[in-house]
Amino acid sequence: MKSPLLTLPGAVPAEGVDEGVAAHYGDLFREQRALADGTGFVDLSHRGVVAVTGEDRLAWLHLLLTQHVSDLPAGRATEALILSANGHIEHALYLVDDGATVWAHVEPGTQEALIAYLESMKFFYKVEVADRTADIAVVHLPAGSIAEVPEGVVVRETPHGRDLFLPRADLEAYAAQAGPPAGILAHEALRVEQHRPRLGFETDHRTIPHELGWIGSAVHLQKGCYRGQETVARVQNLGKPPRRLVFLHLDGSEVHLPVAGTELRLADDGPDGRKVGFITTSARHHELGPVALALVKRNVAVDAPLVAGDTAAAQEVVVEP
């Protein structure tokens, strides 16, 4: 779904999964600094929006999600996953309940598969699931923002900022008074700095929650049964995940960033060394320079210098080995 905000001055369209919104509006670092200072907004109107209504909505979702939501207070933000039977991550939902409806935004294009799964699990529960992407747009306000929120708009407030579920028809009018726009690249650079994983970026077909540090924030270890729980419990109690998320400081002298999928090797092993991981997201940060998130094998020493393609990389621990 193409955003009307792509007509704003300087807007350069994003590509790939984030197609439909602006990559930037002409000055990536200025946009990052604005967000870090708590000003401006990010157009996330390409994300899927799913609404669940009905008196059983929280009890029903509690059975399906990795998060404890049966007693979720109105207005409290949370996040949750849906796993496969083998414990692999299939969906990530960013949730808030407004007292009558559970609102969730999800990765662009994933809402149809998510809704199909939810519909298949309704059984006798009094719930209705709806795709609201066509009429509701997600807008992100950074932490510290004092931008006004229109009356009646559902807000999902987190330590990283507020996600607004804004009527799509009001998007242009809201943008005109919400401060300077920031593109998705600025938003992604701050996400990388904050070590926050993203479905489809830090995940592949075999990713389990422990690898990305999603235990706690998106996976509640004391709740009842859900699909994939056996894997979660087994790894938590008896073992370790095969991979772990790391934050990388990349060599700033290189002109090009190593792209997602770039193989990581131990620097001491040289260019023909064995692969020990791969880049998941790379970004240019306004203060830190070139940085990245990556998945590496659990047994890689936390202080081992790495090479991403031809680019030197130093680790910071995100998930303990």
Side-chain angles (χ1 to χ4, degrees):
M1 187 168 290
K2 187 175 181 180
S3 173
L5 303 190
L6 285 171
T7 61
L8 292 178
V12 175
E15 299 177 346
V17 173
D18 291 320
E19 182 180 3
V21 296
H24 60 83
Y25 295 89
D27 192 335
L28 173 61
F29 292 151
R30 176 188 60 76
E31 295 164 31
Q32 283 187 42
R33 286 191 291 269
L35 293 178
D37 290 341
T39 60
F41 71 95
V42 184
D43 176 13
L44 299 178
S45 61
H46 63 316
R47 290 184 64 81
V49 176
V50 177
V52 181
T53 55
E55 60 185 84
D56 293 338
R57 65 190 183 282
L58 291 175
W60 175 67
L61 285 170
H62 185 80
L63 299 174
L64 305 178
L65 304 180
T66 57
Q67 188 57 274
H68 196 299
V69 297
S70 60
D71 302 315
L72 184 68
R76 180 180 294 176
T78 191
E79 55 189 72
L81 308 175
I82 290 177
L83 307 180
S84 73
N86 293 322
H88 301 137
I89 299 169
E90 292 189 345
H91 294 282
L93 298 81
Y94 300 86
L95 306 162
V96 67
D97 184 84
D98 67 3
T101 302
V102 173
W103 296 90
H105 65 80
V106 298
E107 287 298 324
T110 65
Q111 65 270 20
E112 291 186 3
L114 170 61
I115 290 172
Y117 171 68
L118 294 177
E119 288 285 353
S120 73
M121 301 299 290
K122 284 171 65 173
F123 303 117
F124 56 86
Y125 288 93
K126 297 176 182 178
V127 292
E128 295 295 333
V129 183
D131 184 350
R132 298 294 301 276
T133 310
D135 62 303
I136 299 294
V138 179
V139 173
H140 176 77
L141 301 178
S145 171
I146 59 172
E148 292 187 8
V149 176
E151 186 176 354
V153 168
V154 176
V155 177
R156 181 179 176 274
E157 186 159 1
T158 76
H160 307 292
R162 289 176 287 169
D163 298 333
L164 277 53
F165 291 83
L166 187 75
R168 192 171 290 274
D170 298 340
L171 182 57
E172 289 181 273
Y174 185 75
Q177 56 89 36
I184 194 71
L185 291 182
H187 187 260
E188 282 289 281
L190 298 185
R191 178 181 72 81
V192 170
E193 176 196 13
Q194 295 157 357
H195 307 166
R196 292 188 290 128
R198 183 177 172 189
L199 183 77
F201 287 65
E202 279 61 59
T203 68
D204 57 22
H205 67 284
R206 59 192 181 97
T207 306
I208 61 175
H210 301 76
E211 295 178 319
L212 303 184
W214 252 329
I215 302 299
S217 63
V219 179
H220 195 288
L221 293 176
Q222 277 76 51
K223 71 178 292 283
C225 293
Y226 54 87
R227 190 174 69 175
Q229 186 193 25
E230 289 185 2
T231 297
V232 170
R234 185 168 61 251
V235 174
Q236 184 69 21
N237 296 322
L238 300 176
K240 294 285 187 177
R243 303 176 298 183
R244 58 185 178 89
L245 186 69
V246 297
F247 177 76
L248 299 178
H249 293 273
L250 302 173
D251 182 358
S253 66
E254 297 290 337
V255 175
H256 300 290
L257 283 173
V259 299
T262 300
E263 294 184 350
L264 290 168
R265 291 176 168 78
L266 297 175
D268 292 344
D269 289 350
D272 297 324
R274 64 186 177 89
K275 174 184 173 183
V276 297
F278 58 94
I279 297 286
T280 58
T281 306
S282 58
R284 295 192 184 278
H285 191 273
H286 70 287
E287 289 184 339
L288 301 176
V291 292
L293 292 175
L295 277 173
V296 300
K297 294 181 178 180
R298 180 175 58 84
N299 60 3
V300 172
V302 297
D303 58 351
L306 304 176
V307 176
D310 297 324
T311 302
Q315 301 178 65
E316 280 188 17
V317 175
V318 176
V319 174
E320 294 288 342

